[in-house]
Amino acid sequence: MTLKKIFGLFLIFSTGLAIGQTGKNIPEVEELLSKMSLEEKIGQLNLLTPGGGVATGSVVSEDVEAKIKAGNVGGVFGVSSPEKVRQAQDIAVKSSRLGIPLLIGSDIIHGYKTTYPIPLGLSSSWDMELIQEAAQLAAKEATADGINWNFSPMVDIARDPRWGRIAEGAGEDPYLGSQVAKAMVKGYQGEDLTQPNTMIATVKHMALYGAPEAGRDYNSVDMSRLKMFNEYLPPYKAAVDAGVESVMTSFNDIDGIPASGNKWLLTDLLRERWGFGGFVVSDYTSVNEMIAHGMGDLQAVSAMAINAGLDMDMVGEGFLTTLKKSVEEGKVSEEQITKAARRILEAKHKLGLLDDPYRYSDERRPEKDILTRENRDFARKAATRSFVLLKKHNNTLPLAKDAKIALVGPLANNKNNMLGTWAPTGNPQLSVPILEGMKNVAPQAKISYAKGANISNDTSFAKKVNVFGERIQISEESPEALLREALDLANNSDIIVAVVGEATEMSGEAASRTDIRIPASQKKLINELAKTGKPVVLVLMSGRPLDISEEMVLPVSILQVWHPGVEAGNAVADVIFGDYNPSGKLTNSWPRSVGQVPIHYRMKTTGRPGPENGDFQKFKTNYLDSPNSPLLPFGFGLSYTTFEYSNVKAGSKDLAKDGSIQLSATVTNTGDRDGEEIVQLYIHDKVRSVTPPGKELKGFKKVMLKKGESKTVSFKISAEDLKFYNSSLEHVAEPGEFEFFIAGSSDADFEASFTLKK
Ligand code: BGC
């Protein structure tokens, strides 16, 4: 019987599965499994990339077509466009024995072709509707181009800005990170995966990938269970709870066992404790990398991975080449392989691929759905919401639209660095440089431009950064000549706007830095500009928190814009000319120096708290040469207006264990412009069975306030919200007093309290 006929027969009986569910009740899947040889089942567990996309490892798959024909491939990535995907599905459907269609994967990290700001930037909007919509639009574009499975969201908690992939996540906090994870999964997957504008999401990298020792990518992680459960695991769990269909393992080891072969992680925790029903894919060759981790040869590590609960092997082909032998030798059961194959087939069923392998190959869609004006407008709006105003000086901002401006800096008229890291599906040449955006938004302004400095003068550093394109372009002109030209313009203008910071690939994968300052070439430019006495605005681009201690004390204003995406220039211009009043807040603490790293606001008080005023005190937890506090705290961000908080109070003094309580504050716009404020609630559990964090974010709301307007903002809190994992890893709320404050940043004092009753 042909596959089509089998489907025809069983479709009638198919019950279908809701997102996130699994089981043995899909007749098509069971029928298919009953016909599959062991080799064909193993074939479903093999994920290949034929090249053409950006390879993040040293291996690219070979003979992909022949392998698909032989039934040796379950999915591919790095293939896009309806035509190419149709061709790939044709090979699978028409030339392999059972004609099973392929999963078509891709890394769509911050937009497909319409590139949004980097994820760390998007998280700084604290706007979950916006983030969900961003994921939804990315899914619409990607599926129009044939993709049905996305390797996003990355939800790794990161507190170490040396780690380059901090750019790809949502910062340091488990509560905020969980909200972002949920919004992205819902955005990508929608309500119904059979809809052709939704795709399977992958939460990654399970687990703890954001906590490598010394901030060096791929390095080991060692962490207590208590810390994992309370601080690092919540966002992965939130994605699972939101129905994510796929999970990607991380490269690192956990408790001495690499994630891709870690049974505790992939089976005990993920499947049994959390009830995950989708499939688990390895990261790029991470199964093979267990050899280098010291876990044995390829056969041993592949057996270890499948027995641990890993379903699909990305690129390495360890499963394909060794699992049969391991079954014959009794090292892996055929049942284990059947289970994994079932999960892959279920995913294909959920996508509707078993019904119609060409569901994502509609040639008319790209033109209708990709890089539309509407999508670009959304990218522009999203970028403006991601910017964080770090410093205001003399009300320089916003600029008048007819000002005489010297626009300088290596990122001021630059297309190559606007998209940010990990935007392999975007085209840098389509991005709007800052110069162009400023001219679009303020045609009356008199803008002159000079580069002023190279991103870095260090050729060997530039070579390492320029792997995917010429991100750091070192000019023929000498650094002195570049500087002179910029200073001449600056001296002849009313205002200086300097666009400075990191090139795109100075952050991202395999881009860790030990020095997180602005490169020396640009620091020199900034210092000289500040000496001119003219008003200076630094527009700062980076994929990580930087150490800007030296810039913060200069007479300059600073607007952090991350890597803003395809509409970079227009979005930056919208904000610096005041069409949008910035509202973003940092989702990481920015350190005073790399010596404070790792740093985050949720630190414990310890038994010897350091003095709150930052003074040094012997035998307390503090540094001889630095305050403990960060340069810029988590949750911090200014606006062109100002906000004041008053009347912070609890609706009642007691909270019953099955009741709820309202915690509220009055927020007033005390400046002379309308603006949005991200109102944040932090609590402190005063006494509990395991040492509590000094403060914890428990809620946030973004509110619009007209100038002079006041609003009461309240948060409903129940015992559920106060839960934490205790020493037995039970999720509990313990009775007692809780202090709280409601403010515009994590850096505020507790103002009120309530008591959770027994
Ligand atoms: C990255 C993953 C990515 C994969 C496939 C790896 O190097 O760690 O995040 O999804 O490559 O491109």
Side-chain angles (χ1 to χ4, degrees), residues 56 77 107 151 165 204-205 248 251 283-284 422 509:
T56 56
F77 67 105
D107 284 277
F151 305 150
R165 294 193 86 170
K204 67 188 192 185
H205 305 80
M248 188 185 292
F251 290 117
D283 203 347
Y284 208 104
W422 220 195
E509 188 168 351

Side-chain angles (χ1 to χ4, degrees), residues 155-156 204-209 232-240:
V155 305
D156 305 313
K204 67 188 192 185
H205 305 80
M206 178 98 178
L208 320 181
Y209 180 45
Y232 280 77
L233 295 177
Y236 309 109
K237 180 165 189 301
V240 169

